[in-house]
Amino acid sequence: QVQLVESGGGPVQAGGSLRLSCAASGITYTSYCMGWFRQTPGKEREGVAAIHSSGSTVYDDSAKGRFTISHDNAKSALFLQMNGLKPEDTAMYYCAIQPQLCTAFPWYLPNWYSYWGQGTQVTVSS
């Protein structure tokens, strides 16, 4: 069974950086898309970035130029390096996995993903 566990969130001042990690276990797929999503109370969960097992990446416009998604397939780990953080980046961040190419479905829509982690909170103060 696939399990995803996020870590690395916390409080940070505007302009600062955080690196989120997602430890994955039980992955038997040879081709999959792993994504980072975020959600604030009362709002829909939104896609931030995604990476295919081959290494190709996609980003939401809000993340381009500030966030970098990466992975370590050997360690089944997913990362999100977040620089230049803004108060509007405050949210619960989740990782998710779907056994498809990231371009084969709307990667930014959470309903397409099969497995989710429990989330890690990021709070950016001004």
Side-chain angles (χ1 to χ4, degrees):
Q1 183 173 348
V2 175
Q3 290 190 323
L4 304 172
V5 180
E6 301 94 336
S7 61
V12 63
Q13 290 193 329
S17 299
L18 280 176
R19 187 183 193 227
L20 305 184
S21 298
C22 173
S25 61
I27 296 177
T28 59
Y29 317 124
T30 56
S31 174
Y32 54 85
C33 180
M34 291 192 76
W36 282 104
F37 286 75
R38 63 186 180 187
Q39 188 172 25
T40 54
K43 290 192 174 182
E44 297 285 328
R45 193 169 295 189
E46 61 180 14
V48 176
I51 186 168
H52 185 251
S53 46
S54 65
S56 60
T57 58
V58 287
Y59 291 90
D60 180 73
D61 286 345
S62 65
K64 288 178 182 176
R66 298 189 301 129
F67 295 0
T68 302
I69 189 170
S70 61
H71 64 165
D72 183 337
N73 281 343
K75 296 182 179 179
S76 296
L78 177 71
F79 307 101
L80 185 68
Q81 178 67 42
M82 304 188 294
N83 299 327
L85 283 162
K86 305 174 182 179
E88 51 264 42
D89 294 318
T90 295
M92 184 72 80
Y93 283 73
Y94 300 88
C95 64
I97 188 169
Q98 173 63 15
Q100 287 180 276
L101 290 170
C102 296
T103 53
F105 66 101
W107 70 267
Y108 47 87
L109 293 180
N111 289 346
W112 284 81
Y113 289 78
S114 300
Y115 297 97
W116 291 85
Q118 83 292 344
T120 185
Q121 177 68 37
V122 171
T123 303
V124 185
S125 59
S126 56

